[in-house]
Amino acid sequence: MVTTFRTASAALALSLCALATAPALAQDGDPAAIRNTDDGGDFAMVGLGAAILPDYEGSDDYSVSPIPAAIGRVSGFNFMLAGNRLSVDLIPDNFGPGIDFQAGPVAALNLNRASTKGIDDDRIKALGKRKAAIELGGYLGIAKTGVITSEFDRVSFSASYRKGVTGAHSAGIFTPTVSYLTPLSTKSIVSVFVSAERAERGYARSYFGINPQQSEDSGLPVFNARGGWKNWTLGGAGAVSLTGDLRNGLQAFGGVVYRRMLNDFAQSPVTRIAGDRDQWLGSVGLAYSF
């Protein structure tokens, strides 16, 4: 469930990130009046959302889960908490229009099938639990502000690699992402993104492989899962101020995500028989900036 958890919460975090880059408008809704007021100082935004998520990665059963998200800047360093994933940008931002570079560490806690309590399908329960996995790595990125709609819309590309260091797997996961966000006014902002994941064989075997004993226990056929491209994802997120200005106070935010499982990750009985290669995720929540 945690990979789906991460995907949905990333959409929520993108909304919070959109809030962080929102411009000030001299007159609400007047694009010609845009001016940047980010002085590079410390700030924080914290949010809590409710998301509809698949019970496990590849499931066709869904449940509602709480999802935390936060972004901020401390002493010039930006950070993002997206559910179970934490990243820190160690390169200071270029405020206003222009190009920014990002690089820093990434840490994630993968709890996919670490518990069977939230799984409805008895066949997946019979496969047994997986240990929680800590995944550590890093990311690189580049972004350009001032692209299409104004001086403050933003296109970014990033690529991360993290590797399981404890628990269920010791495999690597590579994730490229392209995103775009644009402010509509001081009260609202929207963003879209597309990403993909490539997982090594150890990950595929841990979550999508079925050995003879598991086959006997679950009734699902034996499957030797190989690594490769695991999925691609398309999502959108948005935020609107409830107190008049996205830069401070209370905001509502949310996201919708579609994910398509690929290759052995889609052909595995975990997905093909017990689940569905088409995955939908939806989320709404509240955030507060200060």
Side-chain angles (χ1 to χ4, degrees):
M1 174 176 162
V2 166
T3 300
T4 59
F5 180 86
R6 179 168 55 246
T7 307
S9 57
L12 302 189
L14 279 174
S15 294
L16 290 175
C17 289
L19 297 178
T21 56
L25 304 183
Q27 296 179 3
D28 184 24
D30 181 3
I34 292 178
R35 57 187 176 87
N36 188 11
T37 61
D38 190 345
D39 60 4
D42 293 351
F43 73 93
M45 297 181 186
V46 296
L48 182 64
I52 300 177
L53 308 173
D55 287 351
Y56 61 88
E57 190 175 11
S59 175
D60 59 356
D61 295 315
Y62 290 77
S63 57
V64 177
S65 298
I67 294 180
I71 62 168
R73 182 189 300 126
V74 178
S75 300
F77 297 111
N78 293 316
F79 68 87
M80 177 193 295
L81 172 66
N84 66 320
R85 178 173 174 172
L86 176 65
S87 61
V88 180
D89 182 7
L90 300 179
I91 301 178
D93 282 345
N94 172 32
F95 304 106
I99 295 177
D100 291 325
F101 296 95
Q102 303 107 29
V106 173
L109 176 63
N110 190 334
L111 299 175
N112 186 27
R113 287 165 54 191
S115 172
T116 59
K117 293 181 179 179
I119 296 176
D120 292 335
D121 196 304
D122 290 335
R123 294 167 294 183
I124 301 301
K125 287 183 178 181
L127 295 176
K129 297 188 295 184
R130 299 293 180 268
K131 294 181 180 179
I134 297 175
E135 300 166 358
L136 301 178
Y139 78 101
L140 297 172
I142 185 171
K144 186 173 190 313
T145 303
V147 182
I148 301 173
T149 62
S150 71
E151 292 182 82
F152 301 102
D153 66 341
R154 185 176 177 91
V155 171
S156 64
F157 170 80
S158 67
S160 69
Y161 180 84
R162 62 190 188 278
K163 188 177 180 67
V165 296
T166 67
H169 72 90
S170 58
I173 303 105
F174 171 69
T175 307
T177 302
V178 177
S179 64
Y180 173 77
L181 67 85
T182 182
L184 304 179
S185 70
T186 55
K187 296 181 179 180
S188 60
I189 198 162
V190 295
S191 62
V192 294
F193 72 96
V194 61
S195 67
E197 285 188 311
R198 183 178 179 87
E200 295 173 356
R201 184 181 180 186
Y203 187 99
R205 293 180 65 181
S206 293
Y207 299 108
F208 294 88
I210 300 175
N211 63 37
Q213 183 60 59
Q214 291 173 324
S215 176
E216 183 178 341
D217 293 340
S218 67
L220 296 171
V222 172
F223 189 79
N224 182 23
R226 300 165 296 178
W229 286 105
K230 180 162 67 76
N231 61 57
W232 62 264
T233 298
L234 177 65
V240 59
S241 173
L242 301 179
T243 54
D245 194 321
L246 289 171
R247 294 165 298 171
N248 55 71
L250 189 65
Q251 300 91 27
F253 62 95
V256 176
V257 172
Y258 170 75
R259 184 177 64 195
R260 177 78 168 176
M261 306 295 290
L262 302 173
N263 301 316
D264 276 13
F265 305 92
Q267 292 303 315
S268 167
V270 169
T271 304
R272 180 174 55 87
I273 297 176
D276 193 330
R277 68 186 302 170
D278 296 309
Q279 308 270 284
W280 288 94
L281 308 91
S283 50
V284 294
L286 295 175
Y288 186 80
S289 59
F290 54 94

